[in-house]
mmCIF file of all heavy atoms in Angstrom:
data_model
loop_
_atom_site.group_PDB
_atom_site.id
_atom_site.type_symbol
_atom_site.label_atom_id
_atom_site.label_comp_id
_atom_site.label_asym_id
_atom_site.label_seq_id
_atom_site.Cartn_x
_atom_site.Cartn_y
_atom_site.Cartn_z
ATOM 1 N N ALA A 55 183.300 114.342 47.220
ATOM 2 C CA ALA A 55 183.767 112.863 46.934
ATOM 3 C C ALA A 55 182.624 111.939 46.765
ATOM 4 O O ALA A 55 182.615 111.134 45.849
ATOM 5 C CB ALA A 55 184.530 112.428 48.171
ATOM 6 N N ARG A 56 181.452 112.098 47.460
ATOM 7 C CA ARG A 56 180.351 111.281 47.243
ATOM 8 C C ARG A 56 179.768 111.541 45.821
ATOM 9 O O ARG A 56 179.401 110.584 45.101
ATOM 10 C CB ARG A 56 179.242 111.652 48.218
ATOM 11 C CG ARG A 56 177.922 110.871 48.130
ATOM 12 C CD ARG A 56 178.093 109.429 48.101
ATOM 13 N NE ARG A 56 178.493 108.909 49.398
ATOM 14 C CZ ARG A 56 179.137 107.759 49.690
ATOM 15 N NH1 ARG A 56 179.297 106.974 48.536
ATOM 16 N NH2 ARG A 56 179.486 107.455 50.843
ATOM 17 N N ALA A 57 179.699 112.780 45.350
ATOM 18 C CA ALA A 57 179.253 113.117 44.045
ATOM 19 C C ALA A 57 180.049 112.454 43.031
ATOM 20 O O ALA A 57 179.500 111.969 42.016
ATOM 21 C CB ALA A 57 179.113 114.587 43.895
ATOM 22 N N GLU A 58 181.379 112.453 43.151
ATOM 23 C CA GLU A 58 182.241 111.915 42.268
ATOM 24 C C GLU A 58 182.278 110.338 42.302
ATOM 25 O O GLU A 58 182.303 109.727 41.194
ATOM 26 C CB GLU A 58 183.687 112.405 42.524
ATOM 27 C CG GLU A 58 183.955 113.908 42.147
ATOM 28 C CD GLU A 58 185.458 114.209 42.187
ATOM 29 O OE1 GLU A 58 186.300 113.288 42.076
ATOM 30 O OE2 GLU A 58 185.743 115.408 42.201
ATOM 31 N N LEU A 59 182.254 109.801 43.428
ATOM 32 C CA LEU A 59 182.408 108.347 43.529
ATOM 33 C C LEU A 59 181.223 107.560 43.437
ATOM 34 O O LEU A 59 181.191 106.334 43.215
ATOM 35 C CB LEU A 59 183.178 108.010 44.807
ATOM 36 C CG LEU A 59 184.526 108.627 44.974
ATOM 37 C CD1 LEU A 59 185.112 108.444 46.381
ATOM 38 C CD2 LEU A 59 185.556 108.082 43.919
ATOM 39 N N GLY A 60 180.074 108.195 43.570
ATOM 40 C CA GLY A 60 178.709 107.476 43.444
ATOM 41 C C GLY A 60 178.230 106.962 44.798
ATOM 42 O O GLY A 60 178.930 106.879 45.772
ATOM 43 N N PRO A 61 177.044 106.437 44.777
ATOM 44 C CA PRO A 61 176.351 106.035 45.960
ATOM 45 C C PRO A 61 176.927 104.793 46.626
ATOM 46 O O PRO A 61 176.665 104.516 47.788
ATOM 47 C CB PRO A 61 174.813 105.855 45.569
ATOM 48 C CG PRO A 61 175.044 105.564 44.124
ATOM 49 C CD PRO A 61 176.069 106.378 43.570
ATOM 50 N N ASP A 62 177.672 103.969 45.811
ATOM 51 C CA ASP A 62 178.130 102.701 46.416
ATOM 52 C C ASP A 62 179.531 102.784 47.038
ATOM 53 O O ASP A 62 180.066 101.790 47.576
ATOM 54 C CB ASP A 62 178.120 101.623 45.354
ATOM 55 C CG ASP A 62 176.727 101.290 44.915
ATOM 56 O OD1 ASP A 62 175.726 101.444 45.683
ATOM 57 O OD2 ASP A 62 176.565 100.989 43.718
ATOM 58 N N ALA A 63 180.231 103.948 46.944
ATOM 59 C CA ALA A 63 181.567 104.028 47.466
ATOM 60 C C ALA A 63 181.541 103.967 48.951
ATOM 61 O O ALA A 63 180.686 104.423 49.679
ATOM 62 C CB ALA A 63 182.135 105.401 46.975
ATOM 63 N N PHE A 64 182.565 103.366 49.430
ATOM 64 C CA PHE A 64 182.702 103.096 50.952
ATOM 65 C C PHE A 64 183.402 104.310 51.520
ATOM 66 O O PHE A 64 184.592 104.321 51.787
ATOM 67 C CB PHE A 64 183.509 101.815 51.150
ATOM 68 C CG PHE A 64 183.331 101.286 52.595
ATOM 69 C CD1 PHE A 64 182.145 100.960 53.134
ATOM 70 C CD2 PHE A 64 184.511 101.072 53.364
ATOM 71 C CE1 PHE A 64 182.076 100.513 54.463
ATOM 72 C CE2 PHE A 64 184.374 100.594 54.618
ATOM 73 C CZ PHE A 64 183.149 100.363 55.246
#
Side-chain angles (χ1 to χ4, degrees):
R56 175 61 64 201
E58 288 190 20
L59 299 173
D62 296 328
F64 195 59

